[in-house]
Amino acid sequence: MSSSEQYRRQIMKDLAQGDVESLDDTSTSSGIEYENFDDFAQRTTADERRQLFGRSLHPDRIPTNQMEPELQKAISQIKPNERDDVARAFFKHLKQRGLDEKHLEQQLGLSTHHPGRMSADDVSKLASFAYHNHPDIFREVLAEQPGIMRFLSNPVVGAILGLAAAKWLGGRH
């Protein structure tokens, strides 16, 4: 097992157990413990995840050249139905900004603009585009579809998520 995989597992284990250090003076200890990341994803609301990912997932914090390979790896590992849901969510939010599916298909070199037929590579291109050009949409989709997060392994990503989670979960030791 690679050191980044071990690091990611340890962060997720610590988060699941509520073993975090407070990064500020707020005492937002919720008393909630999570068994694993899936438990965290299922028991938290999109609003809670939106707040958690709020400032952490941004190209200013994690450069695009570090995030893109992580996204490709993560998206290739999620279940096909989750991948379809992620693609639909990106298209929905991008359409609200005036970017329609057909133009994105051409612009990004996607094999299709139909979420159910998109490959992992297509969804990765879409996610990378959103991360780089519309980080708010990227964070919104991850808050709605957190399954991708369990497959991100880069220590930088893990560290930033760990810091954000520590602020959100409060000072449980």
Short mmCIF file of all heavy atoms in Angstrom, two decimals, residues 20-86:
data_model
loop_
_atom_site.label_atom_id
_atom_site.label_comp_id
_atom_site.label_asym_id
_atom_site.label_seq_id
_atom_site.Cartn_x
_atom_site.Cartn_y
_atom_site.Cartn_z
N VAL A 20 -10.17 14.59 15.91
CA VAL A 20 -9.65 15.75 15.21
C VAL A 20 -9.23 16.79 16.23
O VAL A 20 -9.64 16.77 17.38
CB VAL A 20 -10.72 16.37 14.26
CG1 VAL A 20 -11.08 15.39 13.17
CG2 VAL A 20 -11.95 16.78 15.02
N GLU A 21 -8.42 17.71 15.79
CA GLU A 21 -8.01 18.81 16.64
C GLU A 21 -8.70 20.08 16.16
O GLU A 21 -8.81 20.30 14.97
CB GLU A 21 -6.49 19.01 16.57
CG GLU A 21 -5.72 17.84 17.12
CD GLU A 21 -4.22 18.05 17.01
OE1 GLU A 21 -3.80 19.21 16.83
OE2 GLU A 21 -3.50 17.07 17.12
N SER A 22 -9.14 20.89 17.09
CA SER A 22 -9.80 22.13 16.73
C SER A 22 -8.79 23.10 16.17
O SER A 22 -7.71 23.29 16.71
CB SER A 22 -10.47 22.73 17.95
OG SER A 22 -11.11 23.93 17.59
N LEU A 23 -9.14 23.74 15.08
CA LEU A 23 -8.24 24.69 14.44
C LEU A 23 -8.58 26.13 14.79
O LEU A 23 -7.89 27.04 14.41
CB LEU A 23 -8.28 24.51 12.93
CG LEU A 23 -7.82 23.15 12.44
CD1 LEU A 23 -7.99 23.07 10.93
CD2 LEU A 23 -6.39 22.89 12.83
N ASP A 24 -9.67 26.31 15.50
CA ASP A 24 -10.03 27.66 15.91
C ASP A 24 -10.70 27.57 17.28
O ASP A 24 -10.72 26.53 17.90
CB ASP A 24 -10.93 28.35 14.88
CG ASP A 24 -12.14 27.50 14.52
OD1 ASP A 24 -12.56 26.65 15.33
OD2 ASP A 24 -12.67 27.70 13.41
N ASP A 25 -11.24 28.66 17.74
CA ASP A 25 -11.79 28.70 19.09
C ASP A 25 -13.23 28.24 19.19
O ASP A 25 -13.79 28.25 20.27
CB ASP A 25 -11.69 30.14 19.65
CG ASP A 25 -10.25 30.55 19.86
OD1 ASP A 25 -9.39 29.66 20.00
OD2 ASP A 25 -10.01 31.77 19.89
N THR A 26 -13.82 27.85 18.09
CA THR A 26 -15.21 27.42 18.16
C THR A 26 -15.31 26.07 18.82
O THR A 26 -14.45 25.21 18.66
CB THR A 26 -15.83 27.33 16.75
OG1 THR A 26 -15.11 26.37 15.99
CG2 THR A 26 -15.83 28.67 16.06
N SER A 27 -16.36 25.89 19.56
CA SER A 27 -16.57 24.59 20.19
C SER A 27 -17.81 23.98 19.57
O SER A 27 -18.88 24.00 20.14
CB SER A 27 -16.74 24.76 21.71
OG SER A 27 -17.78 25.66 21.96
N THR A 28 -17.61 23.44 18.37
CA THR A 28 -18.73 22.90 17.61
C THR A 28 -18.77 21.38 17.71
O THR A 28 -19.19 20.72 16.80
CB THR A 28 -18.61 23.30 16.13
OG1 THR A 28 -17.35 22.83 15.64
CG2 THR A 28 -18.75 24.79 15.95
N SER A 29 -18.32 20.86 18.80
CA SER A 29 -18.31 19.41 18.95
C SER A 29 -19.72 18.87 18.84
O SER A 29 -20.59 19.17 19.63
CB SER A 29 -17.71 19.04 20.30
OG SER A 29 -17.72 17.64 20.45
N SER A 30 -19.93 18.04 17.84
CA SER A 30 -21.26 17.54 17.60
C SER A 30 -21.54 16.26 18.35
O SER A 30 -22.69 15.86 18.48
CB SER A 30 -21.45 17.29 16.10
OG SER A 30 -20.54 16.29 15.66
N GLY A 31 -20.50 15.58 18.80
CA GLY A 31 -20.69 14.32 19.49
C GLY A 31 -20.99 13.17 18.54
O GLY A 31 -21.22 12.05 18.95
N ILE A 32 -20.99 13.43 17.25
CA ILE A 32 -21.30 12.40 16.27
C ILE A 32 -20.00 11.74 15.83
O ILE A 32 -19.02 12.41 15.52
CB ILE A 32 -22.00 13.01 15.04
CG1 ILE A 32 -23.32 13.64 15.45
CG2 ILE A 32 -22.22 11.96 13.97
CD1 ILE A 32 -24.01 14.41 14.35
N GLU A 33 -20.02 10.42 15.80
CA GLU A 33 -18.89 9.68 15.29
C GLU A 33 -19.35 8.89 14.07
O GLU A 33 -20.48 8.43 14.00
CB GLU A 33 -18.34 8.73 16.35
CG GLU A 33 -17.70 9.48 17.51
CD GLU A 33 -17.00 8.56 18.50
OE1 GLU A 33 -16.76 7.39 18.16
OE2 GLU A 33 -16.71 9.03 19.59
N TYR A 34 -18.46 8.75 13.11
CA TYR A 34 -18.76 8.04 11.88
C TYR A 34 -17.89 6.80 11.79
O TYR A 34 -16.72 6.84 12.13
CB TYR A 34 -18.52 8.96 10.66
CG TYR A 34 -19.34 10.22 10.74
CD1 TYR A 34 -18.78 11.41 11.19
CD2 TYR A 34 -20.68 10.21 10.40
CE1 TYR A 34 -19.54 12.56 11.29
CE2 TYR A 34 -21.44 11.36 10.48
CZ TYR A 34 -20.87 12.53 10.93
OH TYR A 34 -21.63 13.66 11.02
N GLU A 35 -18.48 5.72 11.31
CA GLU A 35 -17.74 4.47 11.21
C GLU A 35 -16.71 4.51 10.09
O GLU A 35 -15.63 3.93 10.21
CB GLU A 35 -18.71 3.31 10.96
CG GLU A 35 -19.59 3.02 12.15
CD GLU A 35 -20.54 1.87 11.89
OE1 GLU A 35 -20.22 1.00 11.06
OE2 GLU A 35 -21.61 1.86 12.50
N ASN A 36 -17.03 5.16 9.00
CA ASN A 36 -16.12 5.25 7.85
C ASN A 36 -16.62 6.39 6.96
O ASN A 36 -17.59 7.06 7.29
CB ASN A 36 -16.06 3.92 7.09
CG ASN A 36 -17.44 3.42 6.70
OD1 ASN A 36 -18.31 4.18 6.29
ND2 ASN A 36 -17.65 2.12 6.84
N PHE A 37 -15.94 6.58 5.83
CA PHE A 37 -16.33 7.68 4.96
C PHE A 37 -17.74 7.51 4.42
O PHE A 37 -18.49 8.47 4.31
CB PHE A 37 -15.34 7.87 3.81
CG PHE A 37 -15.69 9.06 2.97
CD1 PHE A 37 -15.38 10.34 3.41
CD2 PHE A 37 -16.38 8.91 1.79
CE1 PHE A 37 -15.74 11.45 2.66
CE2 PHE A 37 -16.75 10.02 1.04
CZ PHE A 37 -16.42 11.28 1.48
N ASP A 38 -18.11 6.28 4.07
CA ASP A 38 -19.46 6.05 3.54
C ASP A 38 -20.51 6.43 4.58
O ASP A 38 -21.53 7.03 4.24
CB ASP A 38 -19.64 4.59 3.12
CG ASP A 38 -18.82 4.26 1.88
OD1 ASP A 38 -18.57 5.18 1.07
OD2 ASP A 38 -18.43 3.09 1.72
N ASP A 39 -20.25 6.11 5.82
CA ASP A 39 -21.16 6.48 6.91
C ASP A 39 -21.25 8.01 7.00
O ASP A 39 -22.33 8.57 7.14
CB ASP A 39 -20.68 5.86 8.22
CG ASP A 39 -21.62 6.14 9.38
OD1 ASP A 39 -22.86 6.12 9.18
OD2 ASP A 39 -21.12 6.36 10.50
N PHE A 40 -20.10 8.67 6.93
CA PHE A 40 -20.06 10.14 6.95
C PHE A 40 -20.89 10.70 5.79
O PHE A 40 -21.71 11.59 5.97
CB PHE A 40 -18.60 10.61 6.86
CG PHE A 40 -18.45 12.07 6.53
CD1 PHE A 40 -18.65 13.03 7.50
CD2 PHE A 40 -18.13 12.47 5.24
CE1 PHE A 40 -18.51 14.39 7.20
CE2 PHE A 40 -17.99 13.81 4.94
CZ PHE A 40 -18.18 14.76 5.92
N ALA A 41 -20.68 10.15 4.58
CA ALA A 41 -21.38 10.65 3.40
C ALA A 41 -22.88 10.44 3.50
O ALA A 41 -23.66 11.28 3.05
CB ALA A 41 -20.82 9.97 2.14
N GLN A 42 -23.30 9.33 4.11
CA GLN A 42 -24.73 9.04 4.21
C GLN A 42 -25.41 9.82 5.33
O GLN A 42 -26.57 10.17 5.21
CB GLN A 42 -24.94 7.54 4.43
CG GLN A 42 -24.60 6.73 3.21
CD GLN A 42 -24.64 5.23 3.48
OE1 GLN A 42 -24.87 4.79 4.60
NE2 GLN A 42 -24.41 4.44 2.44
N ARG A 43 -24.70 10.07 6.41
CA ARG A 43 -25.34 10.69 7.57
C ARG A 43 -25.20 12.21 7.61
O ARG A 43 -25.81 12.86 8.47
CB ARG A 43 -24.77 10.07 8.85
CG ARG A 43 -25.23 8.62 8.99
CD ARG A 43 -24.66 7.93 10.19
NE ARG A 43 -24.70 8.70 11.40
CZ ARG A 43 -23.90 8.49 12.44
NH1 ARG A 43 -23.02 7.53 12.41
NH2 ARG A 43 -23.99 9.24 13.52
N THR A 44 -24.40 12.78 6.74
CA THR A 44 -24.31 14.23 6.70
C THR A 44 -25.21 14.74 5.57
O THR A 44 -25.48 14.03 4.61
CB THR A 44 -22.86 14.71 6.44
OG1 THR A 44 -22.37 14.10 5.25
CG2 THR A 44 -21.97 14.40 7.62
N THR A 45 -25.63 15.97 5.71
CA THR A 45 -26.47 16.56 4.67
C THR A 45 -25.58 17.23 3.63
O THR A 45 -24.40 17.52 3.88
CB THR A 45 -27.41 17.62 5.27
OG1 THR A 45 -26.61 18.71 5.76
CG2 THR A 45 -28.27 17.04 6.38
N ALA A 46 -26.17 17.51 2.49
CA ALA A 46 -25.42 18.22 1.45
C ALA A 46 -24.98 19.59 1.97
O ALA A 46 -23.88 20.04 1.66
CB ALA A 46 -26.28 18.38 0.20
N ASP A 47 -25.80 20.23 2.80
CA ASP A 47 -25.42 21.53 3.37
C ASP A 47 -24.20 21.40 4.27
O ASP A 47 -23.31 22.25 4.24
CB ASP A 47 -26.58 22.15 4.16
CG ASP A 47 -27.67 22.70 3.26
OD1 ASP A 47 -27.38 23.01 2.08
OD2 ASP A 47 -28.82 22.82 3.73
N GLU A 48 -24.16 20.35 5.08
CA GLU A 48 -23.00 20.14 5.96
C GLU A 48 -21.74 19.88 5.13
O GLU A 48 -20.68 20.43 5.41
CB GLU A 48 -23.25 18.97 6.91
CG GLU A 48 -24.29 19.28 7.96
CD GLU A 48 -24.74 18.05 8.74
OE1 GLU A 48 -24.77 16.94 8.17
OE2 GLU A 48 -25.06 18.21 9.93
N ARG A 49 -21.88 19.06 4.09
CA ARG A 49 -20.73 18.79 3.23
C ARG A 49 -20.33 20.04 2.45
O ARG A 49 -19.15 20.32 2.26
CB ARG A 49 -21.03 17.62 2.29
CG ARG A 49 -21.13 16.30 3.03
CD ARG A 49 -21.26 15.13 2.07
NE ARG A 49 -22.41 15.21 1.21
CZ ARG A 49 -23.62 14.69 1.50
NH1 ARG A 49 -23.81 14.06 2.64
NH2 ARG A 49 -24.61 14.81 0.65
N ARG A 50 -21.30 20.82 2.01
CA ARG A 50 -21.02 22.07 1.29
C ARG A 50 -20.18 23.00 2.18
O ARG A 50 -19.20 23.59 1.74
CB ARG A 50 -22.34 22.75 0.91
CG ARG A 50 -22.24 23.83 -0.09
CD ARG A 50 -23.62 24.34 -0.52
NE ARG A 50 -24.38 23.31 -1.24
CZ ARG A 50 -25.48 22.71 -0.75
NH1 ARG A 50 -25.97 23.02 0.43
NH2 ARG A 50 -26.11 21.79 -1.45
N GLN A 51 -20.56 23.08 3.45
CA GLN A 51 -19.82 23.91 4.39
C GLN A 51 -18.41 23.33 4.60
O GLN A 51 -17.43 24.08 4.64
CB GLN A 51 -20.56 23.97 5.73
CG GLN A 51 -19.89 24.83 6.75
CD GLN A 51 -20.65 24.85 8.08
OE1 GLN A 51 -21.71 24.25 8.21
NE2 GLN A 51 -20.09 25.51 9.05
N LEU A 52 -18.31 22.03 4.72
CA LEU A 52 -17.02 21.38 4.92
C LEU A 52 -16.09 21.62 3.74
O LEU A 52 -14.92 21.94 3.91
CB LEU A 52 -17.22 19.87 5.13
CG LEU A 52 -15.97 19.00 5.12
CD1 LEU A 52 -15.08 19.35 6.30
CD2 LEU A 52 -16.36 17.54 5.19
N PHE A 53 -16.59 21.46 2.52
CA PHE A 53 -15.76 21.59 1.34
C PHE A 53 -15.59 23.04 0.91
O PHE A 53 -14.79 23.33 0.03
CB PHE A 53 -16.36 20.80 0.16
CG PHE A 53 -16.57 19.33 0.44
CD1 PHE A 53 -17.57 18.64 -0.21
CD2 PHE A 53 -15.77 18.63 1.33
CE1 PHE A 53 -17.78 17.29 0.02
CE2 PHE A 53 -15.97 17.28 1.57
CZ PHE A 53 -16.97 16.62 0.91
N GLY A 54 -16.37 23.93 1.53
CA GLY A 54 -16.45 25.33 1.15
C GLY A 54 -15.22 25.98 0.61
O GLY A 54 -15.17 26.36 -0.54
N ARG A 55 -14.21 26.12 1.42
CA ARG A 55 -13.02 26.83 0.96
C ARG A 55 -11.88 25.89 0.62
O ARG A 55 -10.87 26.30 0.07
CB ARG A 55 -12.57 27.81 2.04
CG ARG A 55 -13.54 28.94 2.21
CD ARG A 55 -13.13 29.87 3.33
NE ARG A 55 -14.35 30.33 3.98
CZ ARG A 55 -14.61 30.21 5.25
NH1 ARG A 55 -13.74 29.66 6.05
NH2 ARG A 55 -15.74 30.63 5.74
N SER A 56 -12.02 24.64 0.98
CA SER A 56 -10.92 23.69 0.81
C SER A 56 -10.68 23.27 -0.62
O SER A 56 -9.55 23.16 -1.06
CB SER A 56 -11.18 22.44 1.65
OG SER A 56 -11.30 22.77 2.99
N LEU A 57 -11.74 23.01 -1.34
CA LEU A 57 -11.61 22.49 -2.70
C LEU A 57 -11.64 23.63 -3.70
O LEU A 57 -12.67 23.96 -4.28
CB LEU A 57 -12.73 21.48 -2.99
CG LEU A 57 -12.65 20.22 -2.13
CD1 LEU A 57 -13.88 19.37 -2.31
CD2 LEU A 57 -11.39 19.44 -2.43
N HIS A 58 -10.49 24.22 -3.91
CA HIS A 58 -10.36 25.37 -4.80
C HIS A 58 -8.98 25.32 -5.44
O HIS A 58 -8.01 24.93 -4.79
CB HIS A 58 -10.53 26.66 -3.99
CG HIS A 58 -10.71 27.85 -4.85
ND1 HIS A 58 -9.67 28.49 -5.46
CD2 HIS A 58 -11.83 28.53 -5.22
CE1 HIS A 58 -10.12 29.52 -6.17
NE2 HIS A 58 -11.43 29.55 -6.03
N PRO A 59 -8.86 25.72 -6.71
CA PRO A 59 -7.56 25.69 -7.37
C PRO A 59 -6.48 26.51 -6.66
O PRO A 59 -5.29 26.24 -6.84
CB PRO A 59 -7.85 26.27 -8.76
CG PRO A 59 -9.29 26.01 -9.00
CD PRO A 59 -9.94 26.09 -7.64
N ASP A 60 -6.87 27.48 -5.86
CA ASP A 60 -5.87 28.24 -5.10
C ASP A 60 -5.26 27.40 -3.98
O ASP A 60 -4.14 27.67 -3.54
CB ASP A 60 -6.50 29.49 -4.48
CG ASP A 60 -6.90 30.51 -5.53
OD1 ASP A 60 -6.43 30.41 -6.68
OD2 ASP A 60 -7.71 31.40 -5.20
N ARG A 61 -5.98 26.40 -3.48
CA ARG A 61 -5.50 25.56 -2.39
C ARG A 61 -4.87 24.27 -2.89
O ARG A 61 -3.89 23.81 -2.35
CB ARG A 61 -6.65 25.21 -1.45
CG ARG A 61 -7.38 26.41 -0.97
CD ARG A 61 -7.36 26.88 0.36
NE ARG A 61 -6.58 26.61 1.47
CZ ARG A 61 -7.07 26.45 2.67
NH1 ARG A 61 -8.36 26.40 2.85
NH2 ARG A 61 -6.28 26.34 3.69
N ILE A 62 -5.50 23.66 -3.90
CA ILE A 62 -4.97 22.45 -4.52
C ILE A 62 -4.84 22.75 -6.01
O ILE A 62 -5.86 22.88 -6.70
CB ILE A 62 -5.90 21.24 -4.32
CG1 ILE A 62 -6.20 21.02 -2.84
CG2 ILE A 62 -5.27 19.98 -4.93
CD1 ILE A 62 -7.30 19.99 -2.59
N PRO A 63 -3.62 22.87 -6.51
CA PRO A 63 -3.45 23.21 -7.92
C PRO A 63 -4.12 22.19 -8.85
O PRO A 63 -4.18 21.00 -8.54
CB PRO A 63 -1.92 23.19 -8.12
CG PRO A 63 -1.35 23.32 -6.74
CD PRO A 63 -2.35 22.72 -5.80
N THR A 64 -4.61 22.70 -9.96
CA THR A 64 -5.29 21.86 -10.94
C THR A 64 -4.43 20.68 -11.36
O THR A 64 -4.93 19.56 -11.50
CB THR A 64 -5.69 22.71 -12.17
OG1 THR A 64 -6.47 23.82 -11.71
CG2 THR A 64 -6.48 21.91 -13.17
N ASN A 65 -3.11 20.90 -11.52
CA ASN A 65 -2.24 19.81 -11.97
C ASN A 65 -2.10 18.70 -10.93
O ASN A 65 -1.71 17.58 -11.25
CB ASN A 65 -0.86 20.32 -12.40
CG ASN A 65 -0.06 20.90 -11.25
OD1 ASN A 65 -0.57 21.15 -10.16
ND2 ASN A 65 1.22 21.14 -11.50
N GLN A 66 -2.45 18.97 -9.68
CA GLN A 66 -2.48 17.92 -8.65
C GLN A 66 -3.87 17.30 -8.56
O GLN A 66 -4.00 16.11 -8.31
CB GLN A 66 -2.09 18.48 -7.28
CG GLN A 66 -0.62 18.80 -7.16
CD GLN A 66 -0.28 19.32 -5.77
OE1 GLN A 66 -1.10 19.37 -4.88
NE2 GLN A 66 0.97 19.74 -5.61
N MET A 67 -4.89 18.10 -8.75
CA MET A 67 -6.26 17.60 -8.60
C MET A 67 -6.68 16.75 -9.79
O MET A 67 -7.36 15.73 -9.61
CB MET A 67 -7.23 18.76 -8.42
CG MET A 67 -8.66 18.32 -8.19
SD MET A 67 -8.89 17.24 -6.77
CE MET A 67 -9.46 18.42 -5.57
N GLU A 68 -6.31 17.11 -11.00
CA GLU A 68 -6.77 16.38 -12.18
C GLU A 68 -6.45 14.89 -12.15
O GLU A 68 -7.33 14.07 -12.39
CB GLU A 68 -6.27 17.04 -13.46
CG GLU A 68 -7.05 18.29 -13.77
CD GLU A 68 -6.62 18.96 -15.06
OE1 GLU A 68 -5.72 18.43 -15.76
OE2 GLU A 68 -7.20 20.01 -15.38
N PRO A 69 -5.20 14.49 -11.86
CA PRO A 69 -4.93 13.04 -11.82
C PRO A 69 -5.72 12.35 -10.70
O PRO A 69 -6.14 11.20 -10.85
CB PRO A 69 -3.43 12.92 -11.58
CG PRO A 69 -2.87 14.29 -11.54
CD PRO A 69 -4.00 15.27 -11.67
N GLU A 70 -5.94 13.05 -9.61
CA GLU A 70 -6.73 12.48 -8.52
C GLU A 70 -8.18 12.27 -8.95
O GLU A 70 -8.79 11.26 -8.63
CB GLU A 70 -6.67 13.38 -7.28
CG GLU A 70 -5.34 13.37 -6.59
CD GLU A 70 -4.99 12.00 -6.03
OE1 GLU A 70 -5.88 11.34 -5.45
OE2 GLU A 70 -3.84 11.58 -6.19
N LEU A 71 -8.72 13.24 -9.66
CA LEU A 71 -10.09 13.12 -10.15
C LEU A 71 -10.22 11.96 -11.13
O LEU A 71 -11.17 11.19 -11.05
CB LEU A 71 -10.54 14.41 -10.82
CG LEU A 71 -10.86 15.57 -9.89
CD1 LEU A 71 -11.10 16.85 -10.70
CD2 LEU A 71 -12.06 15.25 -9.03
N GLN A 72 -9.25 11.84 -12.04
CA GLN A 72 -9.30 10.74 -13.01
C GLN A 72 -9.31 9.40 -12.28
O GLN A 72 -10.11 8.52 -12.60
CB GLN A 72 -8.10 10.82 -13.96
CG GLN A 72 -8.19 11.97 -14.93
CD GLN A 72 -6.92 12.14 -15.74
OE1 GLN A 72 -5.85 11.64 -15.39
NE2 GLN A 72 -7.04 12.88 -16.84
N LYS A 73 -8.43 9.26 -11.31
CA LYS A 73 -8.35 8.00 -10.56
C LYS A 73 -9.64 7.75 -9.78
O LYS A 73 -10.20 6.66 -9.80
CB LYS A 73 -7.16 8.05 -9.61
CG LYS A 73 -6.95 6.80 -8.82
CD LYS A 73 -5.72 6.94 -7.93
CE LYS A 73 -5.95 6.14 -6.69
NZ LYS A 73 -5.59 6.80 -5.48
N ALA A 74 -10.12 8.77 -9.10
CA ALA A 74 -11.32 8.63 -8.26
C ALA A 74 -12.55 8.30 -9.11
O ALA A 74 -13.31 7.39 -8.77
CB ALA A 74 -11.55 9.91 -7.45
N ILE A 75 -12.74 9.01 -10.20
CA ILE A 75 -13.92 8.80 -11.03
C ILE A 75 -13.89 7.43 -11.68
O ILE A 75 -14.92 6.78 -11.84
CB ILE A 75 -14.08 9.95 -12.05
CG1 ILE A 75 -14.49 11.22 -11.29
CG2 ILE A 75 -15.09 9.61 -13.13
CD1 ILE A 75 -14.45 12.49 -12.08
N SER A 76 -12.70 6.94 -12.00
CA SER A 76 -12.61 5.61 -12.59
C SER A 76 -12.98 4.52 -11.59
O SER A 76 -13.31 3.40 -11.98
CB SER A 76 -11.21 5.36 -13.15
OG SER A 76 -10.27 5.18 -12.11
N GLN A 77 -12.94 4.84 -10.29
CA GLN A 77 -13.22 3.84 -9.27
C GLN A 77 -14.65 3.86 -8.74
O GLN A 77 -15.07 2.91 -8.07
CB GLN A 77 -12.25 4.02 -8.09
CG GLN A 77 -10.82 3.71 -8.47
CD GLN A 77 -9.89 3.87 -7.29
OE1 GLN A 77 -10.10 3.29 -6.25
NE2 GLN A 77 -8.85 4.67 -7.46
N ILE A 78 -15.40 4.92 -9.00
CA ILE A 78 -16.78 4.94 -8.50
C ILE A 78 -17.67 4.07 -9.38
O ILE A 78 -17.34 3.80 -10.54
CB ILE A 78 -17.34 6.38 -8.36
CG1 ILE A 78 -17.38 7.10 -9.71
CG2 ILE A 78 -16.59 7.16 -7.32
CD1 ILE A 78 -18.05 8.47 -9.65
N LYS A 79 -18.77 3.65 -8.83
CA LYS A 79 -19.71 2.79 -9.55
C LYS A 79 -20.29 3.54 -10.74
O LYS A 79 -20.47 4.76 -10.68
CB LYS A 79 -20.85 2.38 -8.61
CG LYS A 79 -20.41 1.53 -7.45
CD LYS A 79 -21.58 1.28 -6.51
CE LYS A 79 -21.09 0.61 -5.25
NZ LYS A 79 -22.14 0.56 -4.23
N PRO A 80 -20.60 2.81 -11.82
CA PRO A 80 -21.14 3.48 -13.02
C PRO A 80 -22.38 4.34 -12.74
O PRO A 80 -22.50 5.44 -13.29
CB PRO A 80 -21.47 2.32 -13.96
CG PRO A 80 -20.51 1.24 -13.57
CD PRO A 80 -20.36 1.38 -12.07
N ASN A 81 -23.29 3.87 -11.89
CA ASN A 81 -24.48 4.69 -11.61
C ASN A 81 -24.11 5.96 -10.85
O ASN A 81 -24.72 7.01 -11.05
CB ASN A 81 -25.55 3.88 -10.87
CG ASN A 81 -25.08 3.39 -9.52
OD1 ASN A 81 -23.93 3.00 -9.34
ND2 ASN A 81 -25.99 3.38 -8.56
N GLU A 82 -23.10 5.90 -9.98
CA GLU A 82 -22.64 7.11 -9.29
C GLU A 82 -21.98 8.06 -10.28
O GLU A 82 -22.15 9.27 -10.19
CB GLU A 82 -21.66 6.76 -8.17
CG GLU A 82 -22.29 6.06 -6.98
CD GLU A 82 -21.26 5.66 -5.93
OE1 GLU A 82 -20.08 5.42 -6.28
OE2 GLU A 82 -21.64 5.57 -4.76
N ARG A 83 -21.22 7.49 -11.20
CA ARG A 83 -20.56 8.31 -12.23
C ARG A 83 -21.60 9.04 -13.07
O ARG A 83 -21.46 10.22 -13.37
CB ARG A 83 -19.67 7.41 -13.08
CG ARG A 83 -18.78 8.18 -14.01
CD ARG A 83 -17.77 7.32 -14.73
NE ARG A 83 -18.41 6.27 -15.50
CZ ARG A 83 -18.08 4.98 -15.45
NH1 ARG A 83 -17.12 4.57 -14.66
NH2 ARG A 83 -18.71 4.10 -16.21
N ASP A 84 -22.69 8.34 -13.43
CA ASP A 84 -23.78 8.97 -14.18
C ASP A 84 -24.38 10.13 -13.38
O ASP A 84 -24.65 11.21 -13.93
CB ASP A 84 -24.90 7.97 -14.48
CG ASP A 84 -24.45 6.81 -15.35
OD1 ASP A 84 -23.32 6.86 -15.90
OD2 ASP A 84 -25.22 5.84 -15.47
N ASP A 85 -24.60 9.90 -12.09
CA ASP A 85 -25.16 10.95 -11.23
C ASP A 85 -24.23 12.16 -11.14
O ASP A 85 -24.69 13.31 -11.14
CB ASP A 85 -25.43 10.40 -9.82
CG ASP A 85 -26.55 9.38 -9.79
OD1 ASP A 85 -27.35 9.31 -10.75
OD2 ASP A 85 -26.62 8.63 -8.78
N VAL A 86 -22.93 11.90 -11.06
CA VAL A 86 -21.95 12.99 -11.01
C VAL A 86 -22.01 13.80 -12.31
O VAL A 86 -22.06 15.04 -12.29
CB VAL A 86 -20.53 12.44 -10.74
CG1 VAL A 86 -19.47 13.51 -10.97
CG2 VAL A 86 -20.43 11.89 -9.32
#
